[in-house]
Amino acid sequence: MGDQKSRVNVHSVLTQVSSRPSASDETYPLTRLDHAMGHHTIHVIFYYEKSPFGSFDMDPIRVTLSEVLSSYPPVTGRLTRDDAGNWAVKCNDAGVRVLRARVGITLDEWLRSADGNEERDLTVWEDMPEVPNTWSPFRIQAFSEAHHGQAITFPPFFKPPAPPDRKFSVNNSKSTSYLEAKLQKQTPSVKMSTATFKFSDSVVKQCLSEIHDKCPDASPFDLLAALFWIRVVHLKGPKHDDHTHSLSLCVDFRRLLQEPLPYGYFGNALNFSLLSLNEEEMDCSMLGRVAELVHCHVSGLKEEEFWATLHWLDLQKEEGGKYAPPFAMYGPEFTCVSMEHMIIGDQPVMYSMNFDSAKPVHVSCHVGNAEGEGLILVMPSAEAGLARTVMVTLPEEETAKLCEDQSILHLKPTMLLRSI
């Protein structure tokens, strides 16, 4: 799209408050993981074939939103610092921003012609100012259940996980060794672009059957993480240092703990770990083997790794109890995020957001400030079964090459929001 004017026209900004005030003196401290990931933001976009706002009259929706916000007091609060200098949300009922915009083309035209960078205009994000006491860190959350008079399926749970009585050593933890190394790395500044690939249920099933002898328990995530890792390594060309290729794997831990966190946990339960393979293992013809290694790594992650990471973050505190400055979590290494936790039973949660009996036809998720070697998000898809959507963010030239990669095109993905 170059420097041409955005087709997203934001014409009004509203502030929506909750229908019932919260306790004005209540605060929610941000967790250790929240502080560590302070460089990053999350932007989720739901696409519907029919506008959930009817004739653009948002009044009925705003009434419902007010009710929902009453259950999420941190969303309507503002960021502040505690006595140690750490971030917390002050629940002062200041409200959440609601932005109204128009795009003068149809949904199909947008998905075919917009690129990943232009799509970010739909999130209309603004950087946090130096003094954030009047700045809203949240935009609209999904609230379709309440709009239809239904109970919230996964009610919010705000209490962060409490560590078990036993202690966890950081010395033998793979995750903490990896995070320690991250602190020493610099993230190169390059222009990034994004492309989206949608793989059908039948194609994913066929690919899993083809690698069954190598990895009989492979999940769609194992398969697609291995495929895109191999192809990106191939297009980047041979390495000239230690001939080792590394992939940072990000998984959600809320259901993997001995005392699982509720699905409605309103917080951060992500864990990053590193898988490294040599060039022989990354050979283009060994998809099944790489998928097996990804599967063994992810399924072998234990609760101890999660707690050891939190303990390590505590050890990085400055004198007085202030958390260390944030650093690049989604990078600088090539990073792959599993969103399999967003599928409960066989239902992808993000595609159950009903408006007037219509479900999203597509959901995008962007991670702010994901730089370095690149990022892959393996997400649920609108199609039932094993269908998956893969969003890839790479340096601009590499994105263009990946979109022409025959090993990926052979699987006949639907390509959306491709950067030009």
Side-chain angles (χ1 to χ4, degrees), residues 272-292:
F272 292 80
S273 57
L274 196 68
L275 174 61
S276 297
L277 304 180
N278 59 41
E279 289 188 342
E280 182 179 347
E281 290 173 309
M282 289 298 295
D283 185 273
C284 298
S285 62
M286 299 180 67
L287 175 60
R289 173 59 176 161
V290 176
E292 178 190 31

Side-chain angles (χ1 to χ4, degrees), residues 189-267:
S189 180
V190 296
K191 188 174 182 180
M192 310 292 281
S193 61
T194 301
T196 299
F197 303 81
K198 302 186 78 168
F199 296 92
S200 68
D201 172 71
S202 60
V203 163
V204 174
K205 283 180 179 177
Q206 177 62 32
C207 290
L208 288 173
S209 69
E210 291 173 359
I211 65 170
H212 184 267
D213 60 331
K214 293 290 185 182
C215 187
D217 298 320
S219 69
F221 172 76
D222 302 327
L223 167 72
L224 293 169
L227 172 65
F228 277 85
W229 188 17
I230 290 172
R231 300 319 305 165
V232 170
V233 164
H234 175 73
L235 67 87
K236 285 181 181 290
K239 297 194 71 176
H240 302 291
D241 45 16
D242 61 356
H243 305 289
T244 298
H245 300 281
S246 296
L247 180 67
S248 174
L249 288 159
C250 173
V251 299
D252 186 278
F253 245 81
R254 74 188 64 201
R255 306 305 294 171
L256 303 179
L257 300 176
Q258 186 173 351
E259 296 184 10
L261 287 166
Y263 278 112
Y265 173 56
F266 197 82

